[in-house]
Amino acid sequence: EADIYQTPRYLVIGTGKKITLECSQTMGHDKMYWYQQDPGMELHLIHYSYGVNSTEKGDLSSESTVSRIRTEHFPLTLESARPSHTSQYLCASSELQASTEAFFGQGTRLTVV
Amino acid sequence: TQLLEQSPQFLSIQEGENLTVYCNSSSVFSSLQWYRQEPGEGPVLLVTVVTGGEVKKLKRLTFQFGDARKDSSLHITAAQPGDTGLYLCAGAGYTDKLIFGTGTRLQVFP
């Protein structure tokens, strides 16, 4: 069983609110990722990190920001939520070497009303 | 931008049938992975292939990596309802970030 956790699982929030989605892993992985996924659809990479103080934007443009102050923690923040941000957000981690398995959290389903 | 196109997008079959899912790209990948995702959960790794032409078998599932490391296929023999889910290929490219394919939603009816 993967030791990567996301909170909250579900979040309904009003337009304009600031939100932070939490992601923590206890496997000591250097790489961490945030993906955005609409139900049953492909995963779009929005942010990734190779380690502490490393953050990169993914292929899908996102108004969210991330930080990596500790190896185990990779939170994602939306300063002002909009209905277009409604989606599922999946966090993942893996070892630094290429070709290694990515372990996923259960996701946060965000609804902005 | 590296893109991974999967086909078909949707597949609905009867139990016992065979099927093949394709994952294609114009980019070369250092490795390619296949994941399965069930509703409400994150994707779970099925297999990783790293060598061009490599074939791996996992019970009724057979995975192949193309010779040029640009494409892959997943073949399921005698599909079962438990195989139902979203199948995703994922490639690690020159930057080592993991890029996912467009996905294939498989429904197997009893």
Side-chain angles (χ1 to χ4, degrees), chain A residues 31 35 37 40 50 59 100, chain B residues 33 37 95 97-99 105:
Chain A
K31 281 188 190 176
Y35 292 90
Q37 182 185 35
Y50 289 128
D59 296 325
T100 58
Chain B
Q33 300 175 334
Q37 184 181 23
T95 60
K97 60 184 179 182
L98 198 59
I99 302 297
R105 178 162 293 285

Side-chain angles (χ1 to χ4, degrees), chain A residues 9 31 33 35 37 39-43 45 48 50 57-59 88 90 96-102 104-106, chain B residues 1 9 30-31 33 35 37 40-43 45 48 50 86 88 92 95-103 105:
Chain A
R9 283 292 307 274
K31 281 188 190 176
Y33 306 85
Y35 292 90
Q37 182 185 35
M41 304 298 286
E42 64 189 290
L43 277 70
L45 180 65
Y48 61 102
Y50 289 128
K57 288 192 177 294
D59 296 325
Q88 170 153 274
L90 286 161
L96 196 57
Q97 299 93 328
S99 311
T100 58
E101 177 178 1
F104 282 83
Q106 289 187 296
Chain B
T1 302
Q9 187 176 4
S30 58
S31 67
Q33 300 175 334
Y35 290 78
Q37 184 181 23
E41 302 293 330
L45 181 71
T48 300
V50 297
L86 178 67
L88 296 155
T95 60
D96 280 345
K97 60 184 179 182
L98 198 59
I99 302 297
F100 278 81
T102 49
R105 178 162 293 285

Side-chain angles (χ1 to χ4, degrees), chain A:
Chain A
E1 187 172 323
D3 295 319
I4 179 164
Y5 308 100
Q6 289 185 244
T7 56
R9 283 292 307 274
Y10 304 93
L11 180 61
V12 180
I13 200 161
T15 299
K17 299 290 186 183
K18 177 180 178 178
I19 59 170
T20 297
L21 308 185
E22 302 288 348
C23 177
S24 295
Q25 51 98 2
T26 59
M27 296 172 282
H29 287 166
D30 286 309
K31 281 188 190 176
M32 294 191 76
Y33 306 85
W34 276 104
Y35 292 90
Q36 186 174 338
Q37 182 185 35
D38 291 326
M41 304 298 286
E42 64 189 290
L43 277 70
H44 295 284
L45 180 65
I46 51 175
H47 298 284
Y48 61 102
S49 167
Y50 289 128
V52 172
N53 294 326
S54 153
T55 61
E56 302 285 344
K57 288 192 177 294
D59 296 325
L60 180 67
S61 176
S62 174
E63 294 166 343
S64 59
T65 59
V66 292
S67 62
R68 191 87 184 276
I69 298 172
R70 303 197 315 265
T71 297
E72 62 271 22
H73 196 212
F74 191 40
L76 180 145
T77 298
L78 273 167
E79 290 293 333
S80 179
R82 294 208 302 267
S84 60
H85 296 138
T86 294
S87 189
Q88 170 153 274
Y89 293 83
L90 286 161
C91 179
S93 72
S94 70
E95 294 177 358
L96 196 57
Q97 299 93 328
S99 311
T100 58
E101 177 178 1
F103 293 89
F104 282 83
Q106 289 187 296
T108 293
R109 185 168 295 283
L110 173 66
T111 302
V112 184
V113 296

Side-chain angles (χ1 to χ4, degrees), chain A residues 33 35 42-45 59 92 94 98-104, chain B residues 2-6 21-25 27-36 43-50 63-65 69-74 86-94 96-104:
Chain A
Y33 306 85
Y35 292 90
E42 64 189 290
L43 277 70
H44 295 284
L45 180 65
D59 296 325
S94 70
S99 311
T100 58
E101 177 178 1
F103 293 89
F104 282 83
Chain B
Q2 298 167 293
L3 295 174
L4 282 163
E5 296 285 339
Q6 286 183 237
V21 177
Y22 299 94
C23 173
N24 294 295
S25 176
S27 303
V28 175
F29 291 95
S30 58
S31 67
L32 203 136
Q33 300 175 334
W34 284 92
Y35 290 78
R36 187 173 81 186
V44 176
L45 181 71
L46 294 173
V47 77
T48 300
V49 285
V50 297
F63 305 86
Q64 184 162 8
F65 201 12
R69 305 207 317 276
K70 293 183 179 181
D71 55 85
S72 180
S73 64
L74 157 61
L86 178 67
Y87 288 81
L88 296 155
C89 63
Y94 65 95
D96 280 345
K97 60 184 179 182
L98 198 59
I99 302 297
F100 278 81
T102 49
T104 295

